[in-house]
Amino acid sequence: MRDIIEHIIDKEYAMLDQVHGLDGRASCQDHFSEFRLMRASQFLVWPEEICESYLADLWAAEKIGRNLIFEKYAWMMQASLPEEFQKVCHVLPQFTQKQIERMERIVKIQVAWAEAFVEKYPVCGSRGRLLHTWQDTPHDTSVETYMRGELATYSDATVQLYDQFVENCLAERRNLTVEVRENQAHLQGWKSLEEVERCYASRQEA
């Protein structure tokens, strides 16, 4: 599983390195360790089957010259930079109504998880992305918009697997936002999210 995740991150970072932003290179393009930490935190909560499917997506895209990271950021511009989006939308894949409905259902659940996370960990939550697309600016992208862009880069097979995973998590009362942020905290050397919350709260009060 760890090997699969490392392969995914390497593939993604290679694609990220080729993306040319409107304001030049983004900071994450020159900080692999930070990029790796953030992406590993997410992939560590996924079942191996989804990781394998997404890695296959990356391999398939690479073979035909698609850059899935470029596509993700292009989709994210639809809300925050609509004029720029119009310049690139012709190279993006088209989706059926059924596919769109499935992705939107997942996005809605992910946003609800993010809202619950912010409610439980307000200080940590304030240090993350905004939650809703209506809050997007040209320089700040919300959880909702980011998730929508990410799902648009997965193959239909991967989205279906992820959809079932999300439904299973709901049934088990799991919150993937909390789990991802817990992984992030542990990879950064913290014992728990509670410790992170207390630490940053005390800094705010100082």
Side-chain angles (χ1 to χ4, degrees):
M1 178 69 169
R2 291 275 185 169
D3 288 343
I4 296 171
I5 291 174
E6 291 300 330
H7 283 310
I8 289 173
I9 292 171
D10 287 343
K11 290 288 182 188
E12 283 194 331
Y13 194 72
M15 290 182 179
L16 175 65
D17 190 54
Q18 298 170 20
V19 174
H20 301 287
L22 298 176
D23 299 319
R25 287 178 68 81
S27 60
C28 59
Q29 289 179 287
D30 297 315
H31 294 87
F32 175 73
S33 60
E34 181 179 339
F35 176 84
R36 181 185 178 279
L37 183 148
M38 300 300 290
R39 299 304 283 168
S41 298
Q42 174 177 319
F43 300 136
L44 284 168
V45 306
W46 286 10
E48 186 170 346
E49 183 181 24
I50 301 179
C51 288
E52 290 177 341
S53 184
Y54 179 50
L55 180 58
D57 296 346
L58 290 163
W59 278 109
E62 185 181 59
K63 287 180 179 179
I64 61 174
R66 285 180 64 193
N67 186 322
L68 299 188
I69 303 301
F70 160 78
E71 291 185 15
K72 175 168 68 174
Y73 287 107
W75 282 114
M76 286 160 54
M77 291 193 297
Q78 188 171 15
S80 59
L81 292 164
E83 292 182 3
E84 295 300 325
F85 176 74
Q86 290 302 317
K87 297 177 183 178
V88 298
C89 64
H90 63 282
V91 304
L92 300 174
Q94 300 296 308
F95 300 104
T96 66
Q97 187 60 33
K98 183 177 180 180
Q99 288 172 318
I100 292 171
E101 289 173 358
R102 180 186 293 120
M103 289 189 285
E104 287 301 311
R105 182 172 64 248
I106 295 170
V107 169
K108 183 177 180 180
I109 294 168
Q110 295 274 176
V111 171
W113 280 335
E115 290 172 339
F117 173 81
V118 172
E119 184 175 349
K120 185 174 182 180
Y121 302 100
V123 179
C124 288
S126 69
R127 298 174 63 86
R129 292 182 180 274
L130 301 170
L131 298 181
H132 305 101
T133 293
W134 62 264
Q135 297 173 295
D136 286 357
T137 73
H139 302 289
D140 289 296
T141 304
S142 63
V143 169
E144 181 180 359
T145 298
Y146 185 91
M147 192 66 214
R148 191 173 285 126
E150 181 139 318
L151 286 170
T153 68
Y154 300 167
S155 67
D156 192 53
T158 300
V159 173
Q160 289 187 49
L161 287 172
Y162 191 75
D163 183 33
Q164 187 59 58
F165 173 52
V166 166
E167 290 296 331
N168 292 342
C169 289
L170 277 179
E172 297 167 4
R173 298 185 181 277
R174 293 172 60 183
N175 182 323
L176 292 188
T177 298
V178 172
E179 293 183 23
V180 169
R181 294 296 288 269
E182 284 176 339
N183 285 338
Q184 182 181 338
H186 293 152
L187 290 173
Q188 290 174 322
W190 299 94
K191 293 180 181 178
S192 65
L193 276 172
E194 285 72 21
E195 182 184 37
V196 179
E197 183 77 5
R198 288 194 301 270
C199 178
Y200 284 123
S202 64
R203 291 180 187 179
Q204 287 185 355
E205 295 170 358

